[in-house]
Amino acid sequence: MKRIYLDYAATTPVHTEVFRAMEPYFTKYFGNASTIYYYGRESKKAIEEAREAFARLLGADQSEVIFTSGGTESDNHAIKGVAYANKNKGNHIITSKLEHHAVLETCHFLEKEGFKVTYLPVGADGLLNLEDLKSAITDKTILISIMAANNEIGVLQPVAEIGEIAREKKILFHTDAVQMFGSLPVDVEKMNIDLLSVSAHKIYGPKGIGGLFIRKGTKIVSYMHGGEQEKRRRAGTENVAGIVGFGKACEIAARDMEKEIKRISRLRDLFISDLLKKIPEVKLNGSLVKRLPNNVNVSVKYIEGESMILNLDMEGICASSGSACTSGSLEPSHVLRALGLSHELSHGSVRFTLGKYTTKEDMDAVLLKFSEIVDRLRKLSPLYKSEKKGECNCDGTCGG
Amino acid sequence: MESYSNKVMEHFKNPRNVGDMEKPDGIGHVGNPVCGDIMELYIKVKDNIITDAKFKTFGCGAAIATSSMVTEIVKGKTLEEALKVTNQSVVDALDGLPKVKLHCSVLAEQALKRAVDDYLKKTTGKGLGLPEEDAGHQCMHELPEELK
């Protein structure tokens, strides 16, 4: 069966150039980078080359970036590290309701530790209101953490404007840029970013490696205590092959970004407009314009997400959903709920995220199959019938 | 999440007894959009025997498979036998369900009970005395003790 992968926001395949660059660092150049002989020097050199590629893609200095195990660790390091290092200045953190669990759960943890956290709401389009941010700031605020691009709905927050506000108020600004990094330009100088989290496996690099930008002079507590690695900020023997792969992925992203933005956003726009034309009662979630080039997230009325995902999988198509049933919990996506979507529409969401290997033919095939699946499932749905007859009596929760 | 058994997938791919029923003798409606599962079960009854059963379901793979299975199980049963069908018998007939999906089987059992209840109310004026369904919130967030 031909498989069509449309879950690039979940993870990406390792680019063959990345894989080839990594290979020698498992067997041939296996040295511990902390040693001074030949093998150690080779590892050290490779790490520093990767660091340069990573820093360059952010507009940062290479002394300002460290390698971590991925986005989750970077978020934990940035938020806890800043909170603990600055608690003499204040105990207030501002974030949003749209954040990834790596940020939200870290903030929940800090609340138990005595910190106060404000979770800013977002509009129906998923965008943060800057006035809300300004009025949430107090003289105790030590950190603002707002994601650059949302993983579920792809909405891009006004990062540069947030950075400007934070800078003016002398508050540190962290952004989870896991979804944006490598697919859109990021510049930590222009955007006034103090801390920024990224992950390699979202940009055709390997899993288990990521990075954190920490602006020079930022007060932060180390995350891992131990050896001298990463300037004592993150102890532990470096994942050399992973770092090399990450560096290579950064290089490729920088090289291909411009043309990929154009190509992928064109595919996305066409797919969204075809989809909304072909299937009635489908709603695009999140802003159409302030959006990652590769993200399509729709809610399909009257049917549930997991059953759509299973049906798509039976046709060889890999996508994901914000439905509770796909997460193992009973609550649908907090992101979709934050947009003010009804429970039914939140349960009925599907996310298609496009990538390097997505073609026009793929998207045409997906559109065809998807509309058949929606038809089939709607025939199974009691909501479809009752709403069609105007008899919905579910107290409005179905979004009817 | 644990994956679905082949039997569940088979019923999900080819659900039995889907659709509306002309003049059903009993209707069981359970679930709520809040939790993402709604089941509607329709039955035909003749001489105390369930001669036909159909369903419509809004929900995940497990919700559809349990609906399909309960309609299969119940056909040909007397009303008394139907009332003895438990969620566990639906789970067993499907070769098991992932733990987080067990509430779907509870929903299937409840839909069946409510359909029989509806039939009894219509024909004898006296139902099973089931509690009123709270339309606002009927999620099975709390699993019965034996399912935990």
Side-chain angles (χ1 to χ4, degrees), chain A residues 41-295:
Chain A
R41 288 197 308 273
E42 285 300 320
S43 289
K44 186 80 185 154
K45 197 172 81 193
I47 290 171
E48 294 316 313
E49 275 173 25
R51 197 186 306 281
E52 218 179 296
F54 171 32
R56 207 181 306 128
L57 196 49
L58 290 176
D61 187 84
Q62 49 175 304
S63 65
E64 297 175 303
V65 295
I66 62 167
F67 295 108
T68 67
S69 66
T72 295
E73 183 190 318
S74 298
D75 285 341
N76 270 268
H77 188 160
I79 297 170
K80 289 180 199 162
V82 165
Y84 289 134
N86 294 276
K87 64 180 173 196
N88 59 329
K89 285 191 207 152
N91 65 346
H92 182 229
I93 297 166
I94 299 173
T95 184
S96 84
K97 291 187 173 172
L98 225 56
E99 299 301 308
H100 189 274
H101 286 295
V103 168
L104 287 180
E105 291 301 318
T106 303
C107 287
H108 291 159
F109 168 79
L110 287 174
E111 281 186 279
K112 286 186 204 138
E113 295 276 290
F115 289 88
K116 300 268 178 281
V117 182
T118 302
Y119 301 90
L120 293 173
V122 292
D125 55 3
L127 284 163
L128 201 75
N129 181 339
L130 293 174
E131 294 308 313
D132 287 347
L133 172 65
K134 282 183 199 159
S135 54
I137 295 172
T138 73
D139 55 359
K140 296 271 188 228
T141 309
I142 50 174
L143 176 68
I144 296 171
S145 177
I146 302 288
M147 74 196 318
N150 183 266
N151 49 311
E152 290 188 39
I153 54 175
V155 165
L156 306 170
Q157 299 298 347
V159 174
E161 287 85 343
I162 296 168
E164 212 178 302
I165 294 167
R167 183 62 51 85
E168 207 184 289
K169 301 273 182 185
K170 298 193 171 61
I171 298 166
L172 292 171
F173 173 41
H174 164 249
T175 187
D176 175 332
V178 165
Q179 294 291 336
M180 185 168 165
F181 178 74
S183 73
L184 286 175
V186 176
D187 187 319
V188 291
E189 287 309 316
K190 284 190 196 140
M191 294 174 166
N192 289 318
I193 295 164
D194 298 308
L195 302 116
L196 178 142
S197 308
V198 310
S199 169
H201 76 97
K202 309 285 189 187
I203 65 163
Y204 309 91
K207 293 169 184 63
I209 190 84
L212 178 62
F213 160 75
I214 307 170
R215 180 175 295 283
K216 208 168 277 170
T218 302
K219 266 184 85 181
I220 186 163
V221 170
S222 291
Y223 191 67
M224 292 279 213
H225 302 276
E228 301 279 336
Q229 297 91 350
E230 300 298 283
K231 294 193 287 175
R232 305 210 67 161
R233 289 210 152 123
R234 206 273 185 185
T237 300
E238 298 88 341
N239 172 0
V240 183
I243 290 170
V244 168
F246 182 26
K248 192 70 184 174
C250 290
E251 268 175 43
I252 297 169
R255 182 187 75 199
D256 296 349
M257 191 182 292
E258 214 179 298
K259 78 171 197 298
E260 280 297 272
I261 292 173
K262 277 194 200 133
R263 190 185 72 86
I264 293 177
S265 54
R266 204 175 294 146
L267 284 179
R268 174 203 63 185
D269 290 342
L270 199 62
F271 183 73
I272 291 175
S273 78
D274 286 350
L275 185 70
L276 297 181
K277 258 184 262 163
K278 197 172 169 72
I279 309 177
E281 299 186 90
V282 172
K283 179 187 177 307
L284 179 74
N285 294 320
S287 165
L288 178 61
V289 276
K290 298 278 181 203
R291 193 177 193 96
L292 282 174
N294 75 332
N295 178 291

Side-chain angles (χ1 to χ4, degrees), chain A residues 302-304 306-307 310-311 314 324-326 328 330-332 343-344 347 376-383 385 393-395 397-398, chain B residues 1 4 9 12-13 15 18 20 32-36 38 40 42 55-62 64 100-101 103 135-136 140-141:
Chain A
Y302 315 118
I303 56 179
E304 194 273 339
E306 190 206 79
S307 47
L310 289 171
N311 269 289
M314 280 158 19
C325 290
T326 55
L330 288 164
E331 274 299 311
H343 276 88
E344 187 217 341
H347 282 298
R376 196 175 95 82
L377 288 172
R378 278 184 173 168
K379 281 188 188 125
L380 278 174
S381 170
L383 294 174
K385 171 199 71 177
N393 55 359
C394 71
D395 78 349
T397 45
C398 72
Chain B
M1 198 185 88
Y4 287 134
M9 282 312 289
F12 172 69
K13 281 182 202 171
V18 174
D20 293 312
N32 187 291
V34 174
C35 15
I38 299 173
E40 245 175 52
Y42 321 101
F55 80 93
K56 279 200 162 185
T57 291
F58 165 89
C60 61
I64 290 170
V100 295
K101 301 290 188 180
H103 69 282
M140 295 297 299
H141 285 252

Side-chain angles (χ1 to χ4, degrees), chain B residues 81-92:
Chain B
E81 287 167 343
L83 287 173
K84 284 185 192 140
V85 173
T86 62
N87 77 290
Q88 192 57 50
S89 52
V90 179
V91 173
D92 292 344

Side-chain angles (χ1 to χ4, degrees), chain B residues 29-32 35-39 41 57-58 63 66-67 70 87 102-113 133 138-140:
Chain B
H29 178 107
V30 291
N32 187 291
C35 15
D37 301 297
I38 299 173
M39 269 183 209
L41 189 70
T57 291
F58 165 89
T66 51
S67 310
V70 81
N87 77 290
L102 286 173
H103 69 282
C104 295
S105 66
V106 177
L107 225 49
E109 177 193 318
Q110 288 176 343
L112 176 58
K113 285 215 165 63
E133 257 216 298
Q138 267 289 305
C139 297
M140 295 297 299

